Amino acid sequence: MKLTRRNLILLAAAIGIAAGPATAYAADVLNVGAYPTNPPFEYKNASGTFEGFEVDIVNEAAKRAGMTTDIADLGFQALFAATTSKRIDVAISSITITPERLKSQSFTQPYYDSDMGIATKTDSAVNTEADLKGKVVGVLSGSTGETWVKAHQEADGFSDVKGYDTQQNLLLDLSAGRIDAAVSDIPGMEYSFTKMKDLTVKQRIKTGEQYGLMMTKDHPLLGKLNDALTAMKKDGTLAAIHKKWFGSDAPADSSTVKEMPLPKA
């Protein structure tokens, strides 16, 4: 069949009409990436569905922005490439807001305050940072724990630094004695240690770290999701989510309760 100019215009219009509902639906979906083994922040339950502290936060923020979420299972390091390439809109996985990350990513205001810790086997002779001289230290690759360990390796005399793709493998190697210590975020480790009784946090490293929703640089939905977090703080929703997952009230001066400014590079 010969296509006239009129036929082509009508065909194009028909395709546009057919694509319209799908495009509108896609615009209502917030694409989220999450590291699947990071309880209580996010993890997959027995049915393969994501749940956790940050899952509740991003779902509620999306709802208030008039959207639903589609959460994809990604490795921790892959989250940064996924936001940069716009494969996803938002990444969650207890991601610390840092000046270096703000060069290539955007973050909402923080909603959780955290510190890092040095964890070992309960009966280990390693009790402080000074005891790590000549020891093998494990970290989650791409994390702020890795940044801290590499910055202190020469001065503190760590014999080696081993990177892991998952927190679970990091802690399993610690339990098996293949590394002497692990440096990671305290909340996630302490949650794991309720089941891994032979491990404990020996020293807290005060860092002033704060977690936020990480997004593609200058994402058009940044302001809308940030406003949703502000509303969730004001009406107590965020505090209730904290209570649900950590079993305690968030400190009154914490970023879980207080409205905070948008982080700037």
Side-chain angles (χ1 to χ4, degrees):
M1 180 180 71
K2 184 176 180 181
L3 291 176
T4 65
R5 183 172 182 273
R6 175 179 169 78
N7 294 142
L8 289 170
I9 291 171
L10 290 172
L11 180 62
I15 292 172
I17 291 169
T23 302
Y25 176 77
D28 292 335
V29 176
L30 187 71
N31 293 302
V32 181
Y35 175 55
T37 53
N38 186 37
F41 293 95
E42 47 276 313
Y43 63 94
K44 280 188 171 181
N45 59 27
S47 65
T49 302
F50 271 101
E51 57 182 47
F53 174 68
E54 288 181 301
V55 176
D56 283 358
I57 289 174
V58 76
N59 283 341
E60 179 65 21
K63 179 181 176 182
R64 294 183 185 218
M67 307 178 77
T68 59
T69 60
D70 182 10
I71 305 180
D73 177 340
L74 295 173
F76 186 77
Q77 285 184 298
L79 293 170
F80 298 87
T83 50
T84 300
S85 66
K86 301 183 181 180
R87 176 184 169 191
I88 59 174
D89 302 300
V90 177
I92 55 172
S93 287
S94 53
I95 303 174
T96 302
I97 304 165
T98 68
E100 186 64 29
R101 288 172 177 168
L102 282 166
K103 293 176 183 178
S104 59
Q105 312 283 343
S106 286
F107 282 86
T108 62
Q109 63 180 293
Y111 49 72
Y112 189 83
D113 303 338
S114 179
D115 288 321
M116 289 189 299
I118 298 171
T120 71
K121 297 186 72 169
T122 306
D123 59 0
S124 171
V126 174
N127 293 299
T128 67
E129 181 181 340
D131 298 327
L132 292 175
K133 184 175 183 179
K135 306 297 184 183
V136 179
V137 182
V139 295
L140 180 64
S141 296
S143 68
T144 51
E146 179 182 48
T147 301
W148 185 90
V149 167
K150 288 187 173 179
H152 289 76
Q153 182 175 7
E154 184 175 353
D156 288 346
F158 311 150
S159 66
D160 193 18
V161 177
K162 292 187 65 176
Y164 293 83
D165 290 335
T166 69
Q167 181 97 327
Q168 180 181 20
N169 288 339
L170 166 64
L171 298 179
L172 285 174
D173 264 16
L174 179 61
S175 182
R178 286 186 280 270
I179 56 176
D180 300 298
V183 174
S184 191
D185 296 328
I186 287 177
M189 289 198 297
E190 288 188 333
Y191 184 87
S192 297
F193 297 166
T194 61
K195 300 174 178 64
M196 305 175 76
K197 302 297 185 181
D198 62 329
L199 302 179
T200 188
V201 174
K202 292 287 188 69
Q203 181 179 333
R204 179 177 289 267
I205 302 169
K206 296 293 290 182
T207 61
E209 290 186 61
Q210 295 180 314
Y211 305 154
L213 300 179
M214 186 174 77
M215 305 183 71
T216 302
K217 189 70 174 176
D218 300 322
H219 196 292
L221 291 172
L222 176 64
K224 188 173 284 191
L225 292 180
N226 192 71
D227 288 346
L229 290 177
T230 295
M232 290 163 65
K233 291 181 181 184
K234 287 181 175 179
D235 67 18
T237 300
L238 245 170
I241 293 173
H242 184 284
K243 180 81 170 182
K244 171 184 173 181
W245 287 102
F246 295 99
S248 61
D249 293 324
D253 61 346
S254 71
S255 65
T256 305
V257 176
K258 291 178 61 177
E259 181 182 353
M260 307 287 284
L262 270 175
K264 301 294 184 183

